[in-house]
C-alpha cells in the first residue's frame, strides 16, 4: 500500500486533535492544577454529598450540554499541545490547535473540515510521521496561507469529524465509575470567576484535580493534572452557547485531492 504525505499529514493532525478529545473532560484522566483561590459560596450546593456523588452530578450535567468550549495546554507523547476550540451537538466546530511551535485553525460545518496551519504546524505534523523533507516542502508550498478542505470520505475526514462531534468527545466521560473511586474534596476556589468545588485524586506519581461549578448546572469547569508523563490544564466553558462557523472563501481553499489525486472525492 502506498504512503502519501497528505495521508500522513492528515493522520498527524487527527492525532493532535484526538489527543485533546481523549484527554479533554474526563473526570479522572487529565492535567495540572493551578494555585487555588478561596471563593467558597454560601450555601454549598454540594453539602452532604460525597465526592463520588458530586462527580456523578458533574458528569451528568456536562454530558447534557449542547455545546462547549475547551481551552488549555497538555503534554502527550512528548509533544506540547495548545488548544482552544468550540464544538456543538450538530457537528459544527471552530478553533485553534497548537503543537510545539506550530499552530493551525480548524473549522467544520456541513461535514466539511477546513484546516489552515502555519509552516511549523505542517512540518511538525509530517515530520512526526516520518515524511521525507523532499515531500514536505511541496505540500507546505501548496497550502501556504490557504485552508485545506477535507470533504466527507477523504483521508482524515472521519477522524477530524470525531473531534467536532460533541457526543464523541463526551462518550468516555464518566464511563468507568471506578475512576471516581478514591476522590476527596479539596478546597473551594474559582475558575474564570465561577465558584467551584474541587475533587482530587492522588495516585502514585500524579494528582488529578477536577473543578465543578457551584453556580448553575454542576458542569465540569476544569480538569487538571500534576506529575506523571502528561501534565497540563484544560478548562471548559461557554456551555450551551451557539457555535457559529463560516466556511472560508473558495479562493482561499485548496482541496485535499490536490495533494493526493488518489484520495476519494
Amino acid at each position: 500500500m502506498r504512503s502519501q504525505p497528505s495521508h500522513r499529514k492528515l493522520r498527524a493532525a487527527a492525532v493532535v486533535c484526538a489527543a485533546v478529545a481523549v484527554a479533554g473532560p474526563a473526570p479522572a484522566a487529565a492535567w495540572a492544577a493551578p494555585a487555588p483561590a478561596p471563593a467558597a459560596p454560601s450555601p454549598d450546593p454540594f453539602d452532604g454529598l460525597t465526592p463520588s456523588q458530586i462527580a456523578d452530578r458533574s458528569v451528568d450535567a456536562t454530558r447534557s450540554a449542547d455545546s462547549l468550549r475547551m481551552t488549555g495546554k497538555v503534554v502527550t507523547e512528548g509533544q506540547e499541545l495548545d488548544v482552544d476550540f468550540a464544538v456543538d451537538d450538530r457537528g459544527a466546530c471552530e478553533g485553534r490547535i497548537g503543537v510545539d511551535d506550530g499552530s493551525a485553525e480548524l473549522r467544520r460545518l456541513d461535514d466539511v473540515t477546513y484546516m489552515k496551519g502555519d509552516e511549523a504546524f505542517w512540518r511538525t505534523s509530517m515530520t512526526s510521521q516520518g515524511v521525507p523533507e523532499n515531500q514536505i516542502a511541496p505540500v507546505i508550498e501548496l497550502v501556504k496561507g490557504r485552508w485545506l478542505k477535507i470533504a466527507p470520505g477523504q483521508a482524515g475526514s472521519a477522524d477530524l469529524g470525531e473531534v467536532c462531534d460533541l457526543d464523541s468527545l463526551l462518550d468516555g466521560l464518566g464511563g468507568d465509575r471506578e475512576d471516581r473511586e478514591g476522590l476527596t474534596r479539596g478546597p473551594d476556589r474559582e475558575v474564570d470567576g465561577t465558584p467551584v468545588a474541587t475533587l482530587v485524586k492522588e495516585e502514585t506519581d500524579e494528582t488529578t484535580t477536577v473543578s465543578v461549578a457551584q453556580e448553575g448546572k454542576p458542569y465540569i469547569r476544569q480538569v487538571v493534572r500534576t506529575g506523571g508523563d502528561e501534565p497540563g490544564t484544560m478548562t471548559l466553558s461557554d456551555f450551551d452557547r451557539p457555535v457559529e462557523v463560516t466556511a472560508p472563501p473558495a479562493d482561499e481553499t485548496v482541496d485535499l485531492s490536490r495533494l493526493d489525486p488518489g484520495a476519494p472525492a
Side-chain angles (χ1 to χ4, degrees):
M1 182 173 65
R2 63 191 179 131
S3 179
Q4 296 290 339
S6 60
H7 285 207
R8 289 176 173 179
K9 176 187 57 200
L10 264 295
R11 281 201 301 269
V15 166
V16 171
C17 299
V20 175
V22 171
W31 312 292
S42 181
D44 179 3
F46 304 128
D47 186 38
L49 297 181
T50 67
S52 292
Q53 289 171 328
I54 298 173
D56 289 343
R57 291 193 179 188
S58 68
V59 167
D60 290 343
T62 305
R63 286 182 61 90
S64 72
D66 294 329
S67 62
L68 56 81
R69 180 182 178 189
M70 303 175 67
T71 58
K73 293 183 179 182
V74 298
V75 174
T76 180
E77 296 183 353
Q79 287 187 317
E80 181 176 299
L81 308 180
D82 184 353
V83 300
D84 181 352
F85 72 96
V87 58
D88 68 17
D89 60 359
R90 297 176 291 112
C93 75
E94 69 172 348
R96 184 186 60 81
I97 304 163
V99 52
D100 292 337
D101 296 327
S103 66
E105 295 178 70
L106 171 69
R107 298 183 189 178
R108 186 176 175 91
L109 69 161
D110 300 328
D111 296 327
V112 178
T113 304
Y114 302 88
M115 292 192 73
K116 184 179 182 180
D118 59 22
E119 179 175 344
F121 175 84
W122 293 126
R123 186 173 299 280
T124 297
S125 298
M126 288 187 279
T127 300
S128 68
Q129 297 298 306
V131 180
E133 173 60 29
N134 65 349
Q135 294 180 357
I136 292 175
V139 172
I140 290 177
E141 185 62 30
L142 183 60
V143 299
K144 183 186 301 182
R146 305 173 75 182
W147 293 84
L148 183 63
K149 180 180 179 181
I150 308 149
Q154 290 183 316
S157 177
D159 288 334
L160 290 169
E162 288 186 7
V163 174
C164 293
D165 183 333
L166 185 60
D167 288 339
S168 292
L169 283 179
L170 300 180
D171 263 350
L173 182 60
D176 188 350
R177 297 185 67 86
E178 291 185 3
D179 284 344
R180 304 179 212 172
E181 295 179 1
L183 291 170
T184 60
R185 184 162 175 177
D188 293 347
R189 51 184 295 269
E190 288 188 358
V191 172
D192 295 336
T194 298
V196 296
T198 61
L199 306 176
V200 181
K201 186 168 185 177
E202 301 276 358
E203 298 183 272
T204 303
D205 61 348
E206 64 189 37
T207 300
T208 301
T209 302
V210 181
S211 296
V212 180
Q214 292 176 292
E215 292 179 348
K217 293 183 179 180
Y219 291 126
I220 295 172
R221 291 302 312 274
Q222 196 170 67
V223 186
V224 294
R225 180 163 59 185
T226 55
D229 296 328
E230 299 186 342
T233 302
M234 192 65 64
T235 301
L236 308 183
S237 63
D238 294 354
F239 293 93
D240 301 318
R241 292 187 183 179
V243 178
E244 304 293 343
V245 184
T246 303
D251 61 358
E252 296 179 12
T253 68
V254 57
D255 194 274
L256 177 62
S257 60
R258 291 281 305 278
L259 307 184
D260 178 10

